[in-house]
Amino acid sequence: MKSFASYLRVIAITSIVFIAAEYLIDSGEKPAFIEYPMVSVFILLFAIILIGIEIMVGSMNSLADAIMTEDQKKALEVKRAKARKNAWYLKLEKRLTKAQPIEAEGEIILDHNYDGIRELDNSLPPWWVYGFYISIVFAVIYLAKYHIFDGNTQAEEYEQAMAKAKIEIEEYKRTAKDLIDANTVELLTEASDLNAGKSIFQTNCVACHMADGGGGIGPNLTDEYWILGGGIKNVFRTISEGGRDGKGMVAWKQSLKPSEVAQVASYVLSLEGTTPANPKAPEGEIWTPEEE
């Protein structure tokens, strides 16, 4: 039994340390013990030390029991029994329940007798009485707030919560780059975005459009002519969904994130007006921003 209690102590303390580490260490979406392996090493060493302490304490207790006389053992057992009887949790339980000990039940037994079943005249448990009083106070406050001082109804609170949630969703959409689509995408002008778009273009697009965008298998990207429409929204849609059926560009939405499509689309638009080495003849129609 003592060994079982020791195991429980080790597990409980190690779990508390583990939870504290997860709470205190900012490891992003991954657990701290995965993101930072040293956390796992620390918790493992801590558990080993706890086990060592429990083993040492158990050995010392066993040694003490071995060298004690019978009278000393009996005195120690009486002392331990008294300590268990006066444990704080037992005192707390007695205070919350006011339950009478079995020895005193004869003083509170009632005269009722139903088929040998007799009833005790116990007091109501204080925890129940306090809960009842708290519910009365809550009911009075609730009545005053919602029926006297015209507090918000559940329907009004719902509408307020939904309005707040809508604002939070819009803010999240504004900052979450990969939630954009052809209807919400905006032209990127930051150098970091254009450089990222250029890298994607050089990796995936030069085979058909050439490194300078002059065109090869695919159309020239430096002139003002567009087959499926220019502008950030049309170019984003074309890259994401693909070109004309049967002979156009493949859809890149399975390979590129929306934020990456926006970056490469913005870079493609930045090529307009540049002078490629061997420009391909114009294809499509002249596109103006008013048509987007």
Side-chain angles (χ1 to χ4, degrees), residues 4-25:
F4 181 71
S6 298
Y7 297 148
L8 286 180
R9 278 195 295 271
V10 171
I11 294 173
I13 296 174
T14 304
S15 299
I16 292 173
V17 172
F18 177 82
I19 294 171
E22 287 294 329
Y23 179 76
L24 296 174
I25 299 175

Side-chain angles (χ1 to χ4, degrees), residues 173-192:
K173 287 182 176 180
R174 189 179 65 82
T175 57
K177 294 183 178 180
D178 285 325
L179 286 181
I180 58 177
D181 56 25
N183 297 316
T184 59
V185 66
E186 295 181 357
L187 181 67
L188 303 176
T189 57
E190 293 290 336
S192 58

